Amino acid sequence: MPQPPQPRCPPNCHACGLRDFAAFTELPAGALDAINRARSHTTVGRAGSTLIRENQANSQLYTLYSGWAFRYSTLKDGRRQILNFLLPGDLMGLQQEFGDDAAHGVELLTDCALCVFKGDSLWELYREHPRLGYDITWLAAHEEGNVDDNLLTAGRRNALERVAMLLLQLYRRLDRLGLAEGGSIEFPLTQQHIADALGLSLVHTNKTLRRLVHLGLHTIEDGRLSILNPRALARIAEYYDQPPRLLPLL
Amino acid sequence: MPQPPQPRCPPNCHACGLRDFAAFTELPAGALDAINRARSHTTVGRAGSTLIRENQANSQLYTLYSGWAFRYSTLKDGRRQILNFLLPGDLMGLQQEFGDDAAHGVELLTDCALCVFKGDSLWELYREHPRLGYDITWLAAHEEGNVDDNLLTAGRRNALERVAMLLLQLYRRLDRLGLAEGGSIEFPLTQQHIADALGLSLVHTNKTLRRLVHLGLHTIEDGRLSILNPRALARIAEYYDQPPRLLPLL
DNA sequence: CGAAACGTTGATAAGTTTCAACCATCGTGG
DNA sequence: CCACGATGGTTGAAACTTATCAACGTTTCG
């Protein structure tokens, strides 16, 4: 699957291409400078590579600038659960930063551009710009909300509802970032990823996807997902639109 | 099921009975005063009552002082997923504070004593004591870690593993708070709660519990859970002890 | 050309849910 | 005081959803 080249993160945050999107909040003067100082460097990662290994503590803190990634954890016999997907603007490595117990891994789904923060810059940022601390808590709470949704999905929705949920969820997140075009988005997931995100087997995921295609609700072709009937998908998943909110961006 | 009377939260944080536990971090001077000022009042809630309604925005921020509660969300037809359990020291209402989308509800499992914070005190706290902001982020990230675990459980563990996981998880959390006595803890959950937390049906939950009892791994009697074979439970759940960490307390 | 990755499909097996009872305990009101 | 309803737990049987197994097709790439 050929990846489109990912735009590289500019060396200075003032030139940040992400911040131009309408989806993100404005920052008070000075805060952007502080972020720029807290940043160690920018880098890129290859699709399929492991950015943060499971149970690895003291990793670095990242902002995903472009591309897709996901958080996951696995059991010893190989069963894997994808916890949530990470899209541009998402913070990665926060739990590792807090030295938390049994932390998840992070793997890149596509080639990605990343902002890397200095190892000890987080506390500095809180101290000098409490507003940024507030924003980071917001991001953490928001991500937890995503995981909450995924837990409801894995625990209480059936296979058809789960798949509908995932497709719609991803479409909406991309759309909010301005990355949807005419009802379709880039879609780098394999069916194995979908299965691992939903707690289903690969085979059953395949059959369920085909069922939705057969119902005319979506298609996945050439690495793009097209949502053909958002209303029907929303009804199946019981997942209705929320008013878009501005996201903090670090 | 008779509830033991819950100790009431003292009117001044300096007399906080929770903070005496070895499980919580020390606070820098001044921070405790700030918390005390940010606190609106203390209150109690009855077992079974709804503290935060689903999709309710702008609720208040609470610290659970004593008792058990849980976060949940439901589908329209009544299917309910318990997202995680809340124990003394846990913060409640943080996501609502950020006006987050489709927020969960919070229901009390036992009579509870609560600290209630003033509506707009959170930002104040961040501004005056960035360290507390840091701690709150820590708590949020830590809670997300719990939800991550629960998602792995619901998505990838079978029924026996799920139940073993839950029993052990709750035992360990209580133990860390100093609330375990001789291998047993207070246990106010019904089998319906367990089922809703694990994404299982009530009947299958019952049969799985009986299976574990029959294996001699645990008992639940008179509202107490006794862990009879922690090693075996850990092996089944593939859930091993993490070094205990000090928790921030707000 | 062959291997590897990903998707598709049918048949069978297993795990889980649903349905339908029944029991025990407990609090309450007649 | 006892009858009663409500709540929570237990159990067997049948139905259904999902997993597993096995095979095959397509595309890509070295």
Side-chain angles (χ1 to χ4, degrees), chain A residues 76 126 137 143-144 196 238, chain B residues 76 126 137 143-144 238:
Chain A
K76 282 212 206 68
Y126 272 75
T137 307
E143 177 169 282
E144 181 178 339
D196 286 347
E238 197 179 307
Chain B
K76 282 210 205 68
Y126 271 75
T137 307
E143 177 168 283
E144 180 179 338
E238 197 178 305

Side-chain angles (χ1 to χ4, degrees), chain A residues 197-217:
Chain A
L198 298 177
L200 295 171
S201 73
L202 174 59
V203 173
H204 199 56
T205 298
N206 175 290
K207 289 173 180 170
T208 308
L209 278 165
R210 307 258 35 248
R211 211 165 130 209
L212 285 175
V213 169
H214 193 256
L215 290 170
L217 305 192

Side-chain angles (χ1 to χ4, degrees), chain B residues 139-164:
Chain B
L139 285 171
H142 190 256
E143 177 168 283
E144 180 179 338
N146 281 334
V147 183
D148 287 349
D149 285 346
N150 293 342
L151 178 51
L152 174 61
T153 295
R156 288 305 187 198
R157 282 189 242 250
N158 63 33
L160 196 70
E161 295 167 341
R162 292 188 208 193
V163 174

Side-chain angles (χ1 to χ4, degrees), chain A residues 41-85:
Chain A
H41 62 286
T42 70
T43 185
V44 293
R46 301 304 308 268
S49 65
T50 299
L51 184 67
I52 298 174
R53 207 166 301 278
E54 274 185 284
N55 300 318
Q56 163 186 352
N58 300 322
S59 115
Q60 278 175 300
L61 186 67
Y62 305 86
T63 288
L64 183 53
Y65 181 77
S66 67
W68 294 45
F70 60 89
R71 303 194 309 122
Y72 65 93
S73 31
T74 58
L75 297 173
K76 282 212 206 68
D77 63 6
R79 283 175 286 178
R80 177 174 76 168
Q81 179 67 40
I82 290 180
L83 302 169
N84 63 340
F85 291 98

Side-chain angles (χ1 to χ4, degrees), chain A residues 2-250:
Chain A
Q3 298 298 336
Q6 294 293 342
R8 174 111 194 191
C9 186
N12 188 301
C13 290
H14 287 86
C16 182
L18 258 186
R19 219 169 271 285
D20 298 337
F21 280 132
F24 297 104
T25 55
E26 297 282 327
L27 271 188
L32 198 55
D33 289 317
I35 293 177
N36 203 37
R37 279 197 307 277
R39 203 169 64 163
S40 153
H41 62 286
T42 70
T43 185
V44 293
R46 301 304 308 268
S49 65
T50 299
L51 184 67
I52 298 174
R53 207 166 301 278
E54 274 185 284
N55 300 318
Q56 163 186 352
N58 300 322
S59 115
Q60 278 175 300
L61 186 67
Y62 305 86
T63 288
L64 183 53
Y65 181 77
S66 67
W68 294 45
F70 60 89
R71 303 194 309 122
Y72 65 93
S73 31
T74 58
L75 297 173
K76 282 212 206 68
D77 63 6
R79 283 175 286 178
R80 177 174 76 168
Q81 179 67 40
I82 290 180
L83 302 169
N84 63 340
F85 291 98
L86 300 165
L87 297 177
D90 283 335
L91 217 45
M92 307 187 288
L94 194 61
Q95 304 206 32
Q96 285 76 8
E97 184 81 19
F98 287 105
D100 208 17
D101 36 349
H104 54 264
V106 173
E107 183 176 319
L108 306 186
L109 258 166
T110 67
D111 291 347
C112 287
L114 307 163
C115 287
V116 190
F117 291 92
K118 291 177 187 148
D120 51 351
S121 60
L122 193 60
W123 166 236
E124 194 92 354
L125 229 43
Y126 272 75
R127 191 155 48 89
E128 292 177 7
H129 291 274
R131 166 57 193 271
L132 293 179
Y134 196 79
D135 284 351
I136 291 170
T137 307
W138 195 99
L139 285 171
H142 190 256
E143 177 169 282
E144 181 178 339
N146 282 333
V147 183
D148 287 350
D149 285 345
N150 294 341
L151 177 51
L152 174 61
T153 295
R156 287 306 185 198
R157 281 190 242 252
N158 64 32
L160 197 70
E161 296 167 340
R162 292 187 209 192
V163 174
M165 178 75 186
L166 180 66
L167 298 181
L168 211 45
Q169 206 180 21
L170 289 173
Y171 177 80
R172 290 199 182 141
R173 287 181 65 191
L174 271 284
D175 188 28
R176 202 186 304 192
L177 290 172
L179 297 176
E181 295 171 13
S184 85
I185 57 172
E186 182 200 348
F187 197 76
L189 310 198
T190 66
Q191 295 187 348
Q192 185 66 65
H193 291 121
I194 299 176
D196 286 347
L198 298 177
L200 295 171
S201 73
L202 174 59
V203 173
H204 199 56
T205 298
N206 175 290
K207 289 173 180 170
T208 308
L209 278 165
R210 307 258 35 248
R211 211 165 130 209
L212 285 175
V213 169
H214 193 256
L215 290 170
L217 305 192
H218 83 284
T219 61
I220 297 174
E221 279 165 359
D222 301 323
R224 289 194 73 82
L225 162 68
S226 299
I227 300 293
L228 302 179
N229 192 338
R231 309 278 306 250
L233 284 171
R235 189 162 28 76
I236 291 173
E238 197 179 307
Y239 178 56
Y240 299 100
D241 237 336
Q242 293 118 22
R245 294 178 54 82
L246 294 186
L247 314 165
L249 174 63
L250 202 64

